[in-house]
Amino acid sequence: MPQKAKQHINIISKYRRNDALIDIWSLVHVSTGALMAWVMPPTIALLFLIGWEPLEVLILSPILSRYNIVFGRETLRNSLSDILCDVIGVALGIGILTNLVAPPFHFF
């Protein structure tokens, strides 16, 4: 097996998948959901946010791991909790943020 392939396997096996229900990324998901729902229709925001999870885990994580970048190594449980945080963020964006301040621009 080539040295580069061995290195790639060592990097992947060194880090366990993130299985946490709540982590620092939960805050990122809530705030991103709120901001996206503030500047675009909530259904479109949710489609983007939900679509991000498989993109992150199935496409970006394997590609970045080839360059020794650990990103998106999470379990289904963590991905689903991230989506729940996105939904909470969208609800906050619609219910609170939009009522407090008018968005500076709109997408879609």
Side-chain angles (χ1 to χ4, degrees), residues 17-21 23-33 36 44-62 64 71-87:
R17 292 193 179 274
N18 181 2
D19 191 41
L21 281 175
D23 56 14
I24 191 67
W25 292 103
S26 301
L27 180 62
V28 173
H29 282 276
V30 170
S31 57
T32 302
M36 287 181 75
I44 293 175
L46 274 174
L47 287 174
F48 276 119
L49 293 165
I50 292 170
W52 170 256
E53 286 303 314
L55 176 76
E56 176 185 25
V57 174
L58 300 174
I59 297 172
L60 292 177
S61 179
L64 292 174
F71 178 79
R73 293 213 19 102
E74 47 192 52
T75 63
L76 179 61
R77 175 182 166 172
N78 182 266
S79 290
L80 292 175
S81 72
D82 288 348
I83 291 171
L84 178 63
C85 289
D86 292 331
V87 170

Side-chain angles (χ1 to χ4, degrees), residues 34 37-39 93-106:
W38 189 44
V39 297
I94 296 167
I96 296 174
L97 192 55
T98 305
N99 291 325
L100 289 176
V101 181
F105 54 86
H106 284 279

